[in-house]
């Protein structure tokens, strides 16, 4: 048997690592070059904005090189959905300020992403969904992090800005009880995903915590409801819930904006799970002074979990759902 000097072995390892690095995509992690879409009149879209009202800033990223067969999101459908969101939020006293609509070539590796790592610890019967998420938050996959770093441009208020990012597929894996002491992993192909702070507590870099992905606006109900619903997750910081309906991954019912259905209600008070009040407390909202300066709401004190101190009493302490087999 031959023995090689340790220094030689280290050189070989170094060469292997270097070769592996060179095989990576040359544009992975590079910043996408964006240009404004000149066919959209931003001043016209923002024509009804009023100084002194609660406002959220929104920017739209629409890749110019999406696959030809992808037809679930078009620029006209994004704008129609955005205008519907403006209309639905108007009665709450909150207005949407469109900063820009930009297009550019995105690395095709990022057209489809898995949003978060497969969770390792499922929720049991001891704490509710929000308490569990605080202890065991969702974590972006490395691929999703790379995509966001490549797409979202650095800016002074980037951590306060909502970014609507059009992609082709965004998959969301989660665990649910199957029977007894067994859990099954399910993966949802999302039409929109908001990456809310109540779920991704301190696991998303602040500068792109405002990302919302859009992947399906084709159906009529999705066209009107997707952006406004996903904004609700982000700015109300709640899951799929409504009045007496406790949150869950998928709850289909009419009534509230935050359920899967045709509802558009944003209720107030404890009976309404404080949705309106939590909206008005959102760190993504500001009021503009007469001189044009922005007075932002206070930022999260503890990263933005559901019970973050900025919400004070505007929270619901509900029990966990006792769905686990008692024999285990």
């Amino acid at each position: 048997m031959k023995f090689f000097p340790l220094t030689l072995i280290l050189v070989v390892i170094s060469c292997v690592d270097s070769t592996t690095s060179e095989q990576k995509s040359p544009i992975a992690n590079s910043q996408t070059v964006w240009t404004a879409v000149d066919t959209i009149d931003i001043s016209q879209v923002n024509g009804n904005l009023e100084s002194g009202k609660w406002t959220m800033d929104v920017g739209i990223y629409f890749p110019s090189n999406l696959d030809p067969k992808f037809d679930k999101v078009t620029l006209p459908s994004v704008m129609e959905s955005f205008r519907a969101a403006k209309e639905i939020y108007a009665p709450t006293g909150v207005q949407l300020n469109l900063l820009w609509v930009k297009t550019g070539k995105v690395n095709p590796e990022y057209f489809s992403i898995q949003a978060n790592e497969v969770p390792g610890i499922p929720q049991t019967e001891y704490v509710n969904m929000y308490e569990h998420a605080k202890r065991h938050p969702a974590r972006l996959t490395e691929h999703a992090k790379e995509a966001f770093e490549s797409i979202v441009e650095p800016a002074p208020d980037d951590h306060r800005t909502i970014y609507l990012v059009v992609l082709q597929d965004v998959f969301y894996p989660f665990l649910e009880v199957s029977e007894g002491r067994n859990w099954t992993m399910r993966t949802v192909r999302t039409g929109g995903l908001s990456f809310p702070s109540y779920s991704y507590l301190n696991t998303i870099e602040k500068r792109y915590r405002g990302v919302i992905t859009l992947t399906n606006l084709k159906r009529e109900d999705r066209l009107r409801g997707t952006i406004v619903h996903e904004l609700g997750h982000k700015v109300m910081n709640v899951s799929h819930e409504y009045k007496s309906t406790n949150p869950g991954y998928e709850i289909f019912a009419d009534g509230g904006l935050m359920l899967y259905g045709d509802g558009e209600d944003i209720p107030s008070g404890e009976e309404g799970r404080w949705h309106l009040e939590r909206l008005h407390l959102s760190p993504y909202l500001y009021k503009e002074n007469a001189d044009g300066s922005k007075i932002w709401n206070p930022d999260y004190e503890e990263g933005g979990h559901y019970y973050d101190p900025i919400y004070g009493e505007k929270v619901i302490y509900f029990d966990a759902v006792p769905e686990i087999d008692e024999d285990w």
Side-chain angles (χ1 to χ4, degrees), residues 4 10 13 17-18 47 56 58 74 78 93 96 108 129 139 176 225 236 249 266 273 312 324:
F4 294 94
L10 292 176
I13 291 174
D17 286 345
S18 176
M56 68 176 89
V58 181
T74 63
V78 173
L96 278 60
M129 178 181 180
R139 299 183 181 278
E176 69 174 8
M236 296 181 215
Y249 289 112
I266 302 174
R273 302 185 71 93
I324 314 300

Side-chain angles (χ1 to χ4, degrees), residues 240-256:
H240 301 118
E241 58 169 50
Y242 180 63
K243 292 188 175 180
S244 60
T245 304
N246 285 339
Y249 289 112
E250 295 181 301
I251 301 179
F252 294 86
D254 291 326

Side-chain angles (χ1 to χ4, degrees), residues 32-288:
T32 302
V33 178
W34 298 102
T35 57
V37 176
D38 57 12
T39 57
I40 295 175
D41 186 345
I42 302 297
S43 62
Q44 186 275 327
V45 176
N46 292 332
N48 60 350
L49 295 184
E50 299 177 32
S51 181
K53 292 185 67 173
W54 291 117
T55 306
M56 68 176 89
D57 285 344
V58 181
I60 298 174
Y61 288 125
F62 193 97
S64 61
N65 57 328
L66 296 169
D67 290 328
K69 287 188 176 181
F70 178 73
D71 64 352
K72 293 180 180 177
V73 183
T74 63
L75 195 51
S77 69
V78 173
M79 295 310 300
E80 185 173 345
S81 189
F82 180 81
R83 288 187 173 92
K86 285 174 65 75
E87 173 191 330
I88 294 167
Y89 276 111
T92 70
V94 174
Q95 55 190 2
L96 278 60
N97 175 41
L98 183 61
L99 297 176
W100 34 256
V101 181
K102 295 181 179 181
T103 189
K105 289 186 177 181
V106 171
N107 182 349
E109 294 176 15
Y110 303 142
F111 287 169
S112 298
I113 63 173
Q114 178 177 307
N116 52 284
E117 297 174 359
V118 176
I121 302 176
Q123 180 188 347
T124 61
E125 68 270 41
Y126 305 120
V127 295
N128 67 42
M129 178 181 180
Y130 293 133
E131 292 169 315
H132 176 78
K134 180 182 177 183
R135 297 178 185 180
H136 307 287
R139 299 183 181 278
L140 290 181
T141 62
E142 287 301 317
H143 187 224
K145 289 180 185 178
E146 290 179 3
F148 293 172
E149 289 170 1
S150 173
I151 292 169
V152 177
E153 301 162 292
D157 292 328
D158 48 17
H159 66 296
R160 301 280 199 170
T161 304
I162 305 292
Y163 299 104
L164 301 180
V165 179
V166 176
L167 297 176
Q168 294 184 175
D169 277 313
V170 176
F171 299 98
Y172 182 87
F174 62 94
L175 300 173
E176 69 174 8
V177 175
S178 53
E179 59 178 333
R181 57 179 177 176
N182 299 312
W183 273 261
T184 299
M185 190 201 84
R186 292 185 58 195
T187 297
V188 175
R189 188 187 196 188
T190 65
L193 190 62
S194 57
F195 302 88
S197 294
Y198 68 78
S199 182
Y200 292 82
L201 175 63
N202 289 323
T203 63
I204 296 182
E205 188 174 326
K206 281 186 72 172
R207 77 176 186 87
Y208 47 74
R209 70 179 184 183
V211 167
I212 294 175
T213 54
L214 302 174
T215 51
N216 192 345
L217 298 177
K218 196 169 185 179
R219 294 202 321 250
E220 186 63 30
D221 58 332
R222 289 184 182 273
L223 187 62
R224 180 168 175 82
T226 296
I227 288 180
V228 68
H229 175 89
E230 298 306 328
L231 283 172
H233 284 308
K234 188 75 79 177
V235 295
M236 296 181 215
N237 205 17
V238 299
S239 184
H240 301 118
E241 58 169 50
Y242 180 63
K243 292 188 175 180
S244 60
T245 304
N246 285 339
Y249 289 112
E250 295 181 301
I251 301 179
F252 294 86
D254 291 326
L257 177 65
M258 300 316 300
L259 300 177
Y260 286 150
D262 296 329
E264 298 179 354
D265 185 31
I266 302 174
S268 63
E270 184 174 9
E271 180 182 308
R273 302 185 71 93
W274 306 109
H275 283 189
L276 181 62
E277 290 81 1
R278 290 175 67 90
L279 167 63
H280 288 165
L281 290 168
S282 174
Y284 294 99
L285 266 57
Y286 64 89
K287 289 184 178 180
E288 192 173 78

